Amino acid sequence: MSDGSSANEWDPDAYDRDTGFVHEYGGSVAELLDPAPGERVLDLGCGTGHLTADIAERVGESGAVVGVDAAAEMVARARETYPTLRFEVADAREYAPDRSFDAVFSNAALHWIPRADQPAVAERVADLLEPDGRFVAELGGTGNVAAVVDATLAELRDRGREAEHPWYFPTVGEHAAVLEGAGFEVRLARLFDRPTELDGGREGLADWLDVFGDSLFAGLDDGERAAVVSAVEDRLRGDLFDADSGTWTADYRRLRFVAVRE
Ligand code: BEZ
């Protein structure tokens, strides 16, 4: 889930407890990867390792799966949970193991990498793949969680705070150009709305901002951060909160792609 360049602090307990939907939705991306027995697969931005484990089960003992993440805390948790699997701490832009892969998989990680570094990541992935190897991934697409980001930035600016959009949420065309520039043929690219009910009931939006929002709140002390979160809830309650069920639904949009190294 992390590439090493974001200012986010990762807490594996909170991540699994409050945003477990990230890997649950990622199951359908692993299905799209469709790993075959015996394949060598890299999971880029593996977080706490749940999807790495799903993939490892599919490739079986004759295959080899490696999960990498830039956040040491997440890798430590992945190793603890899945002691027989291989996990490494690595930055996606620099990972250079002495092996190649049949496929590279990534769920909900690439959007943490700044736009300027996306070509370097795509080139690194191309270098890691065998010819005809596939890169199958999903990240936030253009407009992802726009209501949440806009409300938070507006609240911060109203308080005289500097704030910028912290994530890379590309259009299909923008990201396809990055992949093609690195020598991939893009076989599938799809942008779709995926309204996502947040875990945690009434606390869902606050929990989500707690897990993912560090880069939005850089420079704020705990008290001010809590005040901003509460104000953001007030701004969004009418649109994103369902009082009957007591749940928040965020305006997720995903970009999913399959690209093959030429
Ligand atoms: C996610 O991984 O679900 C995510 C992270 C940051 C912003 C939006 C979505």
Side-chain angles (χ1 to χ4, degrees), residues 88-143:
E88 295 175 23
V89 179
D91 184 311
R93 291 157 294 196
E94 290 161 13
Y95 183 57
D98 55 1
R99 71 182 79 190
S100 58
F101 295 91
D102 301 305
V104 174
F105 169 86
S106 183
N107 179 56
L110 295 173
H111 48 236
W112 292 98
I113 299 171
R115 178 169 269 102
D117 292 343
Q118 292 291 332
V121 173
E123 281 160 26
R124 196 84 289 285
V125 172
D127 280 351
L128 292 169
L129 282 169
E130 294 288 342
D132 289 331
R134 62 206 191 280
F135 185 16
V136 177
E138 188 173 296
L139 67 156
T142 182

Side-chain angles (χ1 to χ4, degrees), residues 148-208:
V148 178
V149 174
D150 290 351
T152 308
L153 294 180
E155 180 62 30
L156 288 165
R157 287 184 186 132
D158 283 359
R159 289 165 177 263
R161 294 283 182 180
E162 292 287 317
E164 280 179 21
H165 192 304
W167 297 294
Y168 170 68
F169 295 147
T171 62
V172 166
E174 186 177 14
H175 202 67
V178 168
L179 293 166
E180 287 171 358
F184 285 99
E185 182 180 62
V186 179
R187 299 270 176 95
L188 176 150
R190 183 174 163 237
L191 176 69
F192 57 98
D193 291 334
R194 195 200 71 199
T196 297
E197 188 177 304
L198 302 181
D199 293 331
R202 290 177 186 281
E203 298 305 312
L205 182 59
D207 289 348
W208 189 94

Side-chain angles (χ1 to χ4, degrees), residues 9 12 22 25 32 39 45 64 88 92 154-155 163 180 184 191 210 220 224 227 241:
E9 283 189 23
V22 173
Y25 275 111
L32 183 64
E39 282 198 313
E88 295 175 23
E155 180 62 30
E180 287 171 358
F184 285 99
L191 176 69
D210 184 45
L220 272 62
E224 193 176 4
F241 185 69

Side-chain angles (χ1 to χ4, degrees), residues 1 15 21-22 108-109 111-112 144-145 167 169 194 208 212 252 254:
M1 308 297 134
Y15 181 76
F21 61 82
V22 173
H111 48 236
W112 292 98
N144 191 37
V145 294
W167 297 294
F169 295 147
R194 195 200 71 199
W208 189 94
F212 291 139
Y252 268 65
R254 310 304 280 174

